[in-house]
Amino acid sequence: MIFASMQQLNFPAYPFRFKNRENKVHIFDQIRKKFIQLQPEEWVRQHVVSFLISEKKYPKSLINVEKELIINTLKKRYDVLVYHTDGSIALIVECKAPSVKITQTTFDQIARYNLTVKAKFLMVTNGIDHYFCKMDYEQEKYIFLKDIPAYML
């Protein structure tokens, strides 16, 4: 199997496309429409994208992957953003490699990103553990959820 070195994640199995280039395995990103070198964090990110499309029914056209974000003059890159049709942001996702524990630092990172994007929902995952939150902007806190809502028009 081409991706035998990648561990099983806590997501359904998805039919990913792979190819070898220069002795490195690449996975096809259906949002960016190109092959991306397969790294542990990318493995998680591709599962998240497939989860959002297949399980949560978010349209591909509303999903954005790995774009630059300016935070206090620093250039950062978010993992996944999901937009509403009006252009506001429904969800921001922070992906970590399966070997990376989800800690307060991870939540602090996504909270900093969210100060700029102002998403209604947050998801933090390392592919094994998933955390879902809804933002309460009036109380300035997150409300932890069992799951994120499916796409609604």
Side-chain angles (χ1 to χ4, degrees):
M1 199 174 260
I2 197 167
F3 59 97
S5 63
M6 288 294 139
Q7 78 181 81
Q8 179 70 41
L9 301 179
N10 190 10
F11 284 106
Y14 296 110
F16 296 114
R17 290 171 43 207
F18 299 93
K19 76 176 184 181
N20 263 318
R21 188 186 307 147
E22 297 165 10
N23 288 329
K24 294 189 172 101
V25 177
H26 291 70
I27 187 169
F28 188 75
D29 181 316
Q30 58 186 316
I31 302 302
R32 292 178 274 187
K33 294 182 174 53
K34 64 180 183 179
F35 282 91
I36 307 293
Q37 188 176 334
L38 185 58
Q39 299 287 341
E41 185 177 314
E42 191 63 43
W43 182 234
V44 173
R45 186 169 23 256
Q46 293 307 316
H47 276 80
V48 166
V49 168
S50 291
F51 170 77
L52 292 171
I53 293 166
S54 300
E55 316 311 319
K56 296 300 177 178
K57 307 302 181 202
Y58 285 94
K60 282 184 199 177
S61 61
L62 297 179
I63 299 173
N64 211 316
V65 176
E66 278 237 300
K67 289 278 195 300
E68 193 173 272
L69 194 61
I70 307 288
I71 300 172
N72 298 330
T73 71
L74 296 174
K75 290 181 180 183
K76 301 290 184 180
R77 292 181 85 71
Y78 60 76
D79 287 306
V80 181
L81 271 189
V82 179
Y83 290 88
H84 289 291
T85 52
D86 68 3
S88 64
I89 297 171
L91 169 70
I92 184 170
V93 183
E94 179 59 30
C95 301
K96 296 295 183 191
S99 60
V100 176
K101 275 196 162 321
I102 304 293
T103 63
Q104 185 61 49
T105 305
T106 314
F107 282 98
D108 292 346
Q109 178 183 1
I110 199 169
R112 273 193 308 278
Y113 290 6
N114 202 42
L115 287 172
T116 301
V117 301
K118 305 223 180 312
K120 186 172 184 178
F121 295 96
L122 311 179
M123 177 180 175
V124 176
T125 183
N126 61 5
I128 308 301
D129 298 313
H130 315 304
Y131 297 93
F132 308 100
C133 309
K134 180 178 180 180
M135 291 303 300
D136 180 339
Y137 287 103
E138 286 183 15
Q139 302 283 325
E140 297 183 350
K141 64 179 183 179
Y142 352 87
I143 300 159
F144 282 87
L145 307 170
K146 288 193 186 327
D147 202 352
I148 53 170
Y151 178 71
M152 290 177 281
L153 288 172

